[in-house]
Amino acid sequence: VHPFSKKMAIEGFLQQEFNEFLLLRDRKLAGASLRTRIMDFVSEDDSLTNFSSNLGLGLMYEHEVYDVLDEEGLTITLNLIRISSYLTLDWNISSRVNWWAVGYYQPNVEYFKNFRAVVETGLEIWVIGRLYFTIDFSYRYNNRPIGDVKHYDLVVKNGLRYSVP
């Protein structure tokens, strides 16, 4: 992320992923987007309590290989350019509790009816020292899944996070 001002930044990202449940053997993606801060509130009563929100818009290139064969018996491989749009929310409820959420909408630039939407949210609670308890939810909808896969999936994770100085 490279900020241009307090409200604007440009960001680049790379990702590699696999997911047995989605029959996704390998996904590699690269992209860039412009981010703007749309809200930045700090409580007058407690400077640790704040709420911020960002809106991002950009493009990403995806290369996906699935564990699914097409009609000719070849592995399905997709190369797509998608719009990468997102909205983030981050609320420091107190010095011990933080809630965050991000929503993505990613249509294929050549066929807007082929899209993916993802909503992720989580809560982080300070336990002691640098130790935090986390609980995260992720809902993903793909209107054109590959193979015999549902259009949506829900992931719930909880764990511990240790912050290294």
Side-chain angles (χ1 to χ4, degrees):
V1 177
H2 178 72
F4 292 120
S5 68
K6 192 173 183 179
K7 290 192 169 253
M8 297 291 288
I10 190 166
E11 57 191 353
F13 50 91
L14 301 170
Q15 179 182 332
Q16 183 165 6
E17 176 185 11
F18 69 92
N19 187 323
E20 291 179 38
F21 297 106
L22 300 177
L23 304 176
L24 180 64
R25 184 184 308 162
D26 185 36
R27 170 186 289 130
K28 292 178 176 67
L29 68 85
S33 61
L34 187 61
R35 175 195 300 181
T36 185
R37 174 78 41 117
I38 57 175
M39 184 180 293
D40 197 4
F41 169 79
V42 178
S43 171
E44 293 178 10
D45 299 329
D46 176 9
S47 64
L48 295 175
T49 302
N50 62 59
F51 181 85
S52 63
S53 181
N54 294 298
L55 187 63
L57 183 62
L59 291 172
M60 65 184 192
Y61 170 77
E62 286 185 321
H63 173 76
E64 299 176 327
V65 179
Y66 287 87
D67 280 326
V68 178
L69 301 178
D70 65 13
E71 300 83 30
E72 298 171 359
L74 301 172
T75 300
I76 293 179
T77 301
L78 301 176
N79 293 295
L80 301 174
I81 296 176
R82 291 187 182 273
I83 293 174
S84 176
S85 59
Y86 66 86
L87 174 67
T88 68
L89 306 171
D90 191 14
W91 183 19
N92 288 322
I93 299 167
S94 72
S95 62
R96 297 174 179 250
V97 180
N98 182 62
W99 171 79
W100 61 271
V102 61
Y104 299 94
Y105 179 69
Q106 300 168 331
N108 178 345
V109 296
E110 294 179 2
Y111 185 63
F112 273 75
K113 291 183 180 180
N114 176 354
F115 69 89
R116 180 174 35 231
V118 180
V119 176
E120 298 174 341
T121 186
L123 191 65
E124 185 173 78
I125 302 167
W126 176 76
V127 178
I128 188 169
R130 298 182 178 275
L131 189 64
Y132 298 83
F133 172 75
T134 63
I135 184 163
D136 300 331
F137 299 91
S138 175
Y139 177 82
R140 174 187 170 117
Y141 179 83
N142 185 348
N143 77 317
R144 299 187 65 131
I146 302 297
D148 189 22
V149 174
K150 290 182 181 179
H151 287 275
Y152 64 91
D153 66 302
L154 177 66
V155 176
V156 179
K157 297 186 290 188
N158 54 45
L160 297 173
R161 180 179 73 83
Y162 182 77
S163 177
V164 179

